[in-house]
Amino acid sequence: MKVLRGSAIKAIAKTRPAPGAELIDAPMPAPRESTLLVRVGACGVCGSDLHIVDWELGAERMVARLPVILGHEPAGEVIEVGAHVTNFKVGDRVALDPFGHCGRCGPCSAGRFHLCATPTTLSGAFAEFTVAPIGNAHLVPSTMNIEQAALLEPFGTGLHAVEQSCLKAGDSAVVEGPGPIGLSIALAARALGVTSIVMTGLAVDADRLALARTMGFRTVSTGDRDWIDQARALLPPDGADVVFDAAGAIDSPRELLRRGGQLVEVGWPARDLKSAELRALFFHGVTIINSRIRTPETWRRAIAMVSSGAVDLRPMVTHRYSISHGLEAFDLLRERRGVKALIIPSD
């Protein structure tokens, strides 16, 4: 398609250091030497977007960047490449990672790209077009559904958490938090051959737990007084091999884990652990693992799993919005309705 320099595009932006976001007209972006201009096909709405919109949980770190177009889970089509780009071409379909890597720091030199000290970052995808560094872009098959491609970022986070764990085929797991990351963990674990997966959620997560059941997972509501007993009844007698905390609640892992099991922290911890709880985990022999974002190798496997049909991410999408109605998606998240909302700029 022909790029019209100087034309305006529709976008959702954060313009001031206070709660709220705005629908704006922004100038058409242009790619720099090592970047891509991407026409956004779909972009996922993330819980961290809501924190920024509501100006909470560290959102103040963005003050120096305001005004900024939001959105960091997109997929789309390359329509222009920078002068130094050789590994992408116009017409390629790509999924974009909000966290790239420098390739030079200590963690990158050790192959731990997800811990890069100076990562290249991406935002600006709640718009018709966005610019992405080539280190943040991953080629996906042209046959892949664009909505599935936009879900590769959260799925990659879930897959990475499973790969960080000790899980093997035939093992058991508990996933705390039935949101997109929790469901991604469960999908990745099932694809690995994990045979017993229990998902837990709050009483307000009833709709999300119902969706998890339609996807074939067993669920327990932590709003029930006997929820731990319910969960244990669905697990092997000695407990789960791994508990994945995708909610940040760190909710009763010792009661659910076998001795010597693993607690994998994926969600931002939302509370402090009391010393008594830490001692209980210590004497239970629990290994605590922190799992952050993804690696390039995780992306490769995630793309292969989805494109082969081994994993279907589409059931997670419960709501779709045009940019003009995109602000409604934040109300959805705030009220914990639905699971995954997408902004579809062409709608």
PDB file of all heavy atoms in Angstrom, residues 180-212:
ATOM      1  N   PRO A 180      -5.496 -14.168  30.598  1.00  0.00           N
ATOM      2  CA  PRO A 180      -4.782 -14.613  29.400  1.00  0.00           C
ATOM      3  C   PRO A 180      -3.456 -15.309  29.679  1.00  0.00           C
ATOM      4  O   PRO A 180      -3.127 -16.300  29.018  1.00  0.00           O
ATOM      5  CB  PRO A 180      -4.572 -13.305  28.621  1.00  0.00           C
ATOM      6  CG  PRO A 180      -5.693 -12.423  29.069  1.00  0.00           C
ATOM      7  CD  PRO A 180      -5.896 -12.745  30.513  1.00  0.00           C
ATOM      8  N   ILE A 181      -2.689 -14.813  30.660  1.00  0.00           N
ATOM      9  CA  ILE A 181      -1.411 -15.460  30.967  1.00  0.00           C
ATOM     10  C   ILE A 181      -1.652 -16.819  31.609  1.00  0.00           C
ATOM     11  O   ILE A 181      -1.007 -17.816  31.258  1.00  0.00           O
ATOM     12  CB  ILE A 181      -0.544 -14.572  31.878  1.00  0.00           C
ATOM     13  CG1 ILE A 181      -0.251 -13.225  31.195  1.00  0.00           C
ATOM     14  CG2 ILE A 181       0.755 -15.289  32.222  1.00  0.00           C
ATOM     15  CD1 ILE A 181       0.490 -13.339  29.885  1.00  0.00           C
ATOM     16  N   GLY A 182      -2.584 -16.882  32.549  1.00  0.00           N
ATOM     17  CA  GLY A 182      -2.889 -18.166  33.181  1.00  0.00           C
ATOM     18  C   GLY A 182      -3.371 -19.194  32.181  1.00  0.00           C
ATOM     19  O   GLY A 182      -2.936 -20.359  32.201  1.00  0.00           O
ATOM     20  N   LEU A 183      -4.262 -18.783  31.288  1.00  0.00           N
ATOM     21  CA  LEU A 183      -4.752 -19.706  30.262  1.00  0.00           C
ATOM     22  C   LEU A 183      -3.627 -20.117  29.319  1.00  0.00           C
ATOM     23  O   LEU A 183      -3.562 -21.262  28.864  1.00  0.00           O
ATOM     24  CB  LEU A 183      -5.897 -19.068  29.484  1.00  0.00           C
ATOM     25  CG  LEU A 183      -7.226 -18.969  30.245  1.00  0.00           C
ATOM     26  CD1 LEU A 183      -8.210 -18.086  29.483  1.00  0.00           C
ATOM     27  CD2 LEU A 183      -7.832 -20.357  30.474  1.00  0.00           C
ATOM     28  N   SER A 184      -2.719 -19.190  29.028  1.00  0.00           N
ATOM     29  CA  SER A 184      -1.575 -19.515  28.164  1.00  0.00           C
ATOM     30  C   SER A 184      -0.678 -20.551  28.832  1.00  0.00           C
ATOM     31  O   SER A 184      -0.176 -21.473  28.175  1.00  0.00           O
ATOM     32  CB  SER A 184      -0.780 -18.245  27.842  1.00  0.00           C
ATOM     33  OG  SER A 184      -1.530 -17.361  27.033  1.00  0.00           O
ATOM     34  N   ILE A 185      -0.461 -20.409  30.134  1.00  0.00           N
ATOM     35  CA  ILE A 185       0.327 -21.402  30.871  1.00  0.00           C
ATOM     36  C   ILE A 185      -0.348 -22.769  30.778  1.00  0.00           C
ATOM     37  O   ILE A 185       0.304 -23.782  30.501  1.00  0.00           O
ATOM     38  CB  ILE A 185       0.480 -20.977  32.342  1.00  0.00           C
ATOM     39  CG1 ILE A 185       1.347 -19.720  32.443  1.00  0.00           C
ATOM     40  CG2 ILE A 185       1.078 -22.113  33.176  1.00  0.00           C
ATOM     41  CD1 ILE A 185       1.332 -19.079  33.824  1.00  0.00           C
ATOM     42  N   ALA A 186      -1.658 -22.785  31.005  1.00  0.00           N
ATOM     43  CA  ALA A 186      -2.385 -24.056  30.972  1.00  0.00           C
ATOM     44  C   ALA A 186      -2.325 -24.691  29.584  1.00  0.00           C
ATOM     45  O   ALA A 186      -2.130 -25.909  29.452  1.00  0.00           O
ATOM     46  CB  ALA A 186      -3.834 -23.829  31.401  1.00  0.00           C
ATOM     47  N   LEU A 187      -2.479 -23.894  28.544  1.00  0.00           N
ATOM     48  CA  LEU A 187      -2.413 -24.414  27.175  1.00  0.00           C
ATOM     49  C   LEU A 187      -1.026 -24.974  26.866  1.00  0.00           C
ATOM     50  O   LEU A 187      -0.887 -26.042  26.261  1.00  0.00           O
ATOM     51  CB  LEU A 187      -2.768 -23.316  26.175  1.00  0.00           C
ATOM     52  CG  LEU A 187      -4.236 -22.909  26.104  1.00  0.00           C
ATOM     53  CD1 LEU A 187      -4.395 -21.614  25.311  1.00  0.00           C
ATOM     54  CD2 LEU A 187      -5.082 -24.012  25.474  1.00  0.00           C
ATOM     55  N   ALA A 188       0.010 -24.243  27.285  1.00  0.00           N
ATOM     56  CA  ALA A 188       1.374 -24.702  27.035  1.00  0.00           C
ATOM     57  C   ALA A 188       1.670 -25.985  27.808  1.00  0.00           C
ATOM     58  O   ALA A 188       2.303 -26.910  27.288  1.00  0.00           O
ATOM     59  CB  ALA A 188       2.369 -23.606  27.416  1.00  0.00           C
ATOM     60  N   ALA A 189       1.200 -26.049  29.054  1.00  0.00           N
ATOM     61  CA  ALA A 189       1.431 -27.251  29.859  1.00  0.00           C
ATOM     62  C   ALA A 189       0.715 -28.451  29.258  1.00  0.00           C
ATOM     63  O   ALA A 189       1.280 -29.562  29.207  1.00  0.00           O
ATOM     64  CB  ALA A 189       0.961 -27.009  31.292  1.00  0.00           C
ATOM     65  N   ARG A 190      -0.505 -28.249  28.796  1.00  0.00           N
ATOM     66  CA  ARG A 190      -1.240 -29.364  28.193  1.00  0.00           C
ATOM     67  C   ARG A 190      -0.550 -29.839  26.915  1.00  0.00           C
ATOM     68  O   ARG A 190      -0.473 -31.055  26.663  1.00  0.00           O
ATOM     69  CB  ARG A 190      -2.682 -28.952  27.900  1.00  0.00           C
ATOM     70  CG  ARG A 190      -3.525 -30.097  27.346  1.00  0.00           C
ATOM     71  CD  ARG A 190      -4.998 -29.763  27.404  1.00  0.00           C
ATOM     72  NE  ARG A 190      -5.355 -28.642  26.539  1.00  0.00           N
ATOM     73  CZ  ARG A 190      -6.552 -28.043  26.537  1.00  0.00           C
ATOM     74  NH1 ARG A 190      -7.495 -28.457  27.365  1.00  0.00           N
ATOM     75  NH2 ARG A 190      -6.796 -27.037  25.728  1.00  0.00           N
ATOM     76  N   ALA A 191      -0.040 -28.903  26.115  1.00  0.00           N
ATOM     77  CA  ALA A 191       0.665 -29.294  24.898  1.00  0.00           C
ATOM     78  C   ALA A 191       1.924 -30.092  25.216  1.00  0.00           C
ATOM     79  O   ALA A 191       2.346 -30.937  24.425  1.00  0.00           O
ATOM     80  CB  ALA A 191       1.015 -28.045  24.080  1.00  0.00           C
ATOM     81  N   LEU A 192       2.518 -29.837  26.392  1.00  0.00           N
ATOM     82  CA  LEU A 192       3.698 -30.571  26.820  1.00  0.00           C
ATOM     83  C   LEU A 192       3.358 -31.985  27.264  1.00  0.00           C
ATOM     84  O   LEU A 192       4.227 -32.859  27.337  1.00  0.00           O
ATOM     85  CB  LEU A 192       4.377 -29.814  27.969  1.00  0.00           C
ATOM     86  CG  LEU A 192       5.645 -30.399  28.583  1.00  0.00           C
ATOM     87  CD1 LEU A 192       6.786 -30.379  27.562  1.00  0.00           C
ATOM     88  CD2 LEU A 192       6.038 -29.620  29.826  1.00  0.00           C
ATOM     89  N   GLY A 193       2.079 -32.228  27.572  1.00  0.00           N
ATOM     90  CA  GLY A 193       1.667 -33.548  28.021  1.00  0.00           C
ATOM     91  C   GLY A 193       1.331 -33.617  29.495  1.00  0.00           C
ATOM     92  O   GLY A 193       1.160 -34.718  30.035  1.00  0.00           O
ATOM     93  N   VAL A 194       1.252 -32.448  30.160  1.00  0.00           N
ATOM     94  CA  VAL A 194       0.861 -32.433  31.569  1.00  0.00           C
ATOM     95  C   VAL A 194      -0.588 -32.899  31.656  1.00  0.00           C
ATOM     96  O   VAL A 194      -1.473 -32.363  30.984  1.00  0.00           O
ATOM     97  CB  VAL A 194       1.031 -31.022  32.162  1.00  0.00           C
ATOM     98  CG1 VAL A 194       0.521 -30.961  33.598  1.00  0.00           C
ATOM     99  CG2 VAL A 194       2.504 -30.614  32.098  1.00  0.00           C
ATOM    100  N   THR A 195      -0.840 -33.891  32.465  1.00  0.00           N
ATOM    101  CA  THR A 195      -2.142 -34.569  32.438  1.00  0.00           C
ATOM    102  C   THR A 195      -3.125 -34.060  33.473  1.00  0.00           C
ATOM    103  O   THR A 195      -4.328 -34.300  33.356  1.00  0.00           O
ATOM    104  CB  THR A 195      -1.941 -36.081  32.646  1.00  0.00           C
ATOM    105  OG1 THR A 195      -1.146 -36.294  33.813  1.00  0.00           O
ATOM    106  CG2 THR A 195      -1.246 -36.691  31.435  1.00  0.00           C
ATOM    107  N   SER A 196      -2.646 -33.390  34.512  1.00  0.00           N
ATOM    108  CA  SER A 196      -3.543 -32.890  35.551  1.00  0.00           C
ATOM    109  C   SER A 196      -3.290 -31.402  35.729  1.00  0.00           C
ATOM    110  O   SER A 196      -2.243 -30.994  36.247  1.00  0.00           O
ATOM    111  CB  SER A 196      -3.308 -33.638  36.873  1.00  0.00           C
ATOM    112  OG  SER A 196      -4.140 -33.120  37.887  1.00  0.00           O
ATOM    113  N   ILE A 197      -4.234 -30.577  35.262  1.00  0.00           N
ATOM    114  CA  ILE A 197      -4.103 -29.116  35.347  1.00  0.00           C
ATOM    115  C   ILE A 197      -5.341 -28.563  36.029  1.00  0.00           C
ATOM    116  O   ILE A 197      -6.468 -28.794  35.574  1.00  0.00           O
ATOM    117  CB  ILE A 197      -3.943 -28.485  33.957  1.00  0.00           C
ATOM    118  CG1 ILE A 197      -2.709 -29.052  33.231  1.00  0.00           C
ATOM    119  CG2 ILE A 197      -3.844 -26.956  34.060  1.00  0.00           C
ATOM    120  CD1 ILE A 197      -2.588 -28.632  31.786  1.00  0.00           C
ATOM    121  N   VAL A 198      -5.139 -27.850  37.126  1.00  0.00           N
ATOM    122  CA  VAL A 198      -6.239 -27.228  37.860  1.00  0.00           C
ATOM    123  C   VAL A 198      -6.034 -25.727  37.831  1.00  0.00           C
ATOM    124  O   VAL A 198      -4.947 -25.231  38.174  1.00  0.00           O
ATOM    125  CB  VAL A 198      -6.293 -27.719  39.320  1.00  0.00           C
ATOM    126  CG1 VAL A 198      -7.433 -27.030  40.072  1.00  0.00           C
ATOM    127  CG2 VAL A 198      -6.446 -29.231  39.373  1.00  0.00           C
ATOM    128  N   MET A 199      -7.064 -24.983  37.431  1.00  0.00           N
ATOM    129  CA  MET A 199      -7.000 -23.525  37.410  1.00  0.00           C
ATOM    130  C   MET A 199      -7.837 -22.972  38.556  1.00  0.00           C
ATOM    131  O   MET A 199      -8.951 -23.436  38.806  1.00  0.00           O
ATOM    132  CB  MET A 199      -7.501 -22.971  36.078  1.00  0.00           C
ATOM    133  CG  MET A 199      -6.719 -23.449  34.884  1.00  0.00           C
ATOM    134  SD  MET A 199      -6.938 -22.383  33.446  1.00  0.00           S
ATOM    135  CE  MET A 199      -6.089 -20.891  33.984  1.00  0.00           C
ATOM    136  N   THR A 200      -7.293 -21.975  39.244  1.00  0.00           N
ATOM    137  CA  THR A 200      -8.031 -21.344  40.336  1.00  0.00           C
ATOM    138  C   THR A 200      -8.234 -19.864  40.026  1.00  0.00           C
ATOM    139  O   THR A 200      -7.440 -19.246  39.317  1.00  0.00           O
ATOM    140  CB  THR A 200      -7.291 -21.487  41.683  1.00  0.00           C
ATOM    141  OG1 THR A 200      -6.111 -20.671  41.671  1.00  0.00           O
ATOM    142  CG2 THR A 200      -6.916 -22.928  41.946  1.00  0.00           C
ATOM    143  N   GLY A 201      -9.313 -19.314  40.583  1.00  0.00           N
ATOM    144  CA  GLY A 201      -9.602 -17.905  40.398  1.00  0.00           C
ATOM    145  C   GLY A 201     -10.507 -17.395  41.493  1.00  0.00           C
ATOM    146  O   GLY A 201     -11.090 -18.175  42.260  1.00  0.00           O
ATOM    147  N   LEU A 202     -10.629 -16.083  41.575  1.00  0.00           N
ATOM    148  CA  LEU A 202     -11.482 -15.454  42.565  1.00  0.00           C
ATOM    149  C   LEU A 202     -12.953 -15.623  42.195  1.00  0.00           C
ATOM    150  O   LEU A 202     -13.286 -16.009  41.064  1.00  0.00           O
ATOM    151  CB  LEU A 202     -11.143 -13.969  42.670  1.00  0.00           C
ATOM    152  CG  LEU A 202      -9.693 -13.616  43.041  1.00  0.00           C
ATOM    153  CD1 LEU A 202      -9.464 -12.120  42.903  1.00  0.00           C
ATOM    154  CD2 LEU A 202      -9.363 -14.095  44.436  1.00  0.00           C
ATOM    155  N   ALA A 203     -13.826 -15.284  43.128  1.00  0.00           N
ATOM    156  CA  ALA A 203     -15.261 -15.350  42.846  1.00  0.00           C
ATOM    157  C   ALA A 203     -15.627 -14.446  41.671  1.00  0.00           C
ATOM    158  O   ALA A 203     -16.493 -14.791  40.864  1.00  0.00           O
ATOM    159  CB  ALA A 203     -16.055 -14.968  44.100  1.00  0.00           C
ATOM    160  N   VAL A 204     -14.938 -13.286  41.552  1.00  0.00           N
ATOM    161  CA  VAL A 204     -15.243 -12.358  40.451  1.00  0.00           C
ATOM    162  C   VAL A 204     -14.739 -12.884  39.111  1.00  0.00           C
ATOM    163  O   VAL A 204     -15.034 -12.292  38.064  1.00  0.00           O
ATOM    164  CB  VAL A 204     -14.650 -10.962  40.718  1.00  0.00           C
ATOM    165  CG1 VAL A 204     -15.313 -10.321  41.919  1.00  0.00           C
ATOM    166  CG2 VAL A 204     -13.137 -11.034  40.899  1.00  0.00           C
ATOM    167  N   ASP A 205     -13.964 -13.969  39.142  1.00  0.00           N
ATOM    168  CA  ASP A 205     -13.452 -14.579  37.909  1.00  0.00           C
ATOM    169  C   ASP A 205     -14.372 -15.679  37.385  1.00  0.00           C
ATOM    170  O   ASP A 205     -13.943 -16.508  36.586  1.00  0.00           O
ATOM    171  CB  ASP A 205     -12.067 -15.180  38.155  1.00  0.00           C
ATOM    172  CG  ASP A 205     -10.996 -14.143  38.403  1.00  0.00           C
ATOM    173  OD1 ASP A 205     -11.036 -13.087  37.751  1.00  0.00           O
ATOM    174  OD2 ASP A 205     -10.123 -14.386  39.261  1.00  0.00           O
ATOM    175  N   ALA A 206     -15.628 -15.685  37.801  1.00  0.00           N
ATOM    176  CA  ALA A 206     -16.536 -16.783  37.444  1.00  0.00           C
ATOM    177  C   ALA A 206     -16.616 -16.977  35.936  1.00  0.00           C
ATOM    178  O   ALA A 206     -16.581 -18.115  35.447  1.00  0.00           O
ATOM    179  CB  ALA A 206     -17.921 -16.532  38.024  1.00  0.00           C
ATOM    180  N   ASP A 207     -16.730 -15.882  35.169  1.00  0.00           N
ATOM    181  CA  ASP A 207     -16.822 -16.005  33.710  1.00  0.00           C
ATOM    182  C   ASP A 207     -15.532 -16.576  33.128  1.00  0.00           C
ATOM    183  O   ASP A 207     -15.561 -17.385  32.193  1.00  0.00           O
ATOM    184  CB  ASP A 207     -17.128 -14.641  33.083  1.00  0.00           C
ATOM    185  CG  ASP A 207     -18.547 -14.182  33.371  1.00  0.00           C
ATOM    186  OD1 ASP A 207     -19.371 -14.998  33.816  1.00  0.00           O
ATOM    187  OD2 ASP A 207     -18.828 -12.980  33.144  1.00  0.00           O
ATOM    188  N   ARG A 208     -14.401 -16.145  33.666  1.00  0.00           N
ATOM    189  CA  ARG A 208     -13.115 -16.638  33.170  1.00  0.00           C
ATOM    190  C   ARG A 208     -12.938 -18.119  33.501  1.00  0.00           C
ATOM    191  O   ARG A 208     -12.417 -18.892  32.690  1.00  0.00           O
ATOM    192  CB  ARG A 208     -11.975 -15.807  33.758  1.00  0.00           C
ATOM    193  CG  ARG A 208     -11.963 -14.371  33.260  1.00  0.00           C
ATOM    194  CD  ARG A 208     -10.821 -13.574  33.848  1.00  0.00           C
ATOM    195  NE  ARG A 208     -10.664 -12.295  33.160  1.00  0.00           N
ATOM    196  CZ  ARG A 208      -9.624 -11.485  33.320  1.00  0.00           C
ATOM    197  NH1 ARG A 208      -8.645 -11.821  34.153  1.00  0.00           N
ATOM    198  NH2 ARG A 208      -9.557 -10.343  32.657  1.00  0.00           N
ATOM    199  N   LEU A 209     -13.352 -18.511  34.683  1.00  0.00           N
ATOM    200  CA  LEU A 209     -13.265 -19.927  35.046  1.00  0.00           C
ATOM    201  C   LEU A 209     -14.191 -20.767  34.174  1.00  0.00           C
ATOM    202  O   LEU A 209     -13.846 -21.897  33.797  1.00  0.00           O
ATOM    203  CB  LEU A 209     -13.612 -20.107  36.524  1.00  0.00           C
ATOM    204  CG  LEU A 209     -12.589 -19.549  37.521  1.00  0.00           C
ATOM    205  CD1 LEU A 209     -13.135 -19.613  38.946  1.00  0.00           C
ATOM    206  CD2 LEU A 209     -11.257 -20.305  37.439  1.00  0.00           C
ATOM    207  N   ALA A 210     -15.365 -20.209  33.835  1.00  0.00           N
ATOM    208  CA  ALA A 210     -16.283 -20.935  32.958  1.00  0.00           C
ATOM    209  C   ALA A 210     -15.648 -21.133  31.584  1.00  0.00           C
ATOM    210  O   ALA A 210     -15.768 -22.216  30.979  1.00  0.00           O
ATOM    211  CB  ALA A 210     -17.603 -20.176  32.841  1.00  0.00           C
ATOM    212  N   LEU A 211     -14.971 -20.109  31.069  1.00  0.00           N
ATOM    213  CA  LEU A 211     -14.290 -20.244  29.788  1.00  0.00           C
ATOM    214  C   LEU A 211     -13.189 -21.299  29.881  1.00  0.00           C
ATOM    215  O   LEU A 211     -13.010 -22.110  28.969  1.00  0.00           O
ATOM    216  CB  LEU A 211     -13.696 -18.907  29.350  1.00  0.00           C
ATOM    217  CG  LEU A 211     -12.889 -18.937  28.050  1.00  0.00           C
ATOM    218  CD1 LEU A 211     -13.759 -19.356  26.871  1.00  0.00           C
ATOM    219  CD2 LEU A 211     -12.240 -17.579  27.775  1.00  0.00           C
ATOM    220  N   ALA A 212     -12.441 -21.293  30.987  1.00  0.00           N
ATOM    221  CA  ALA A 212     -11.387 -22.298  31.174  1.00  0.00           C
ATOM    222  C   ALA A 212     -11.960 -23.709  31.107  1.00  0.00           C
ATOM    223  O   ALA A 212     -11.349 -24.619  30.530  1.00  0.00           O
ATOM    224  CB  ALA A 212     -10.670 -22.071  32.504  1.00  0.00           C
TER     225      ALA A 212
END
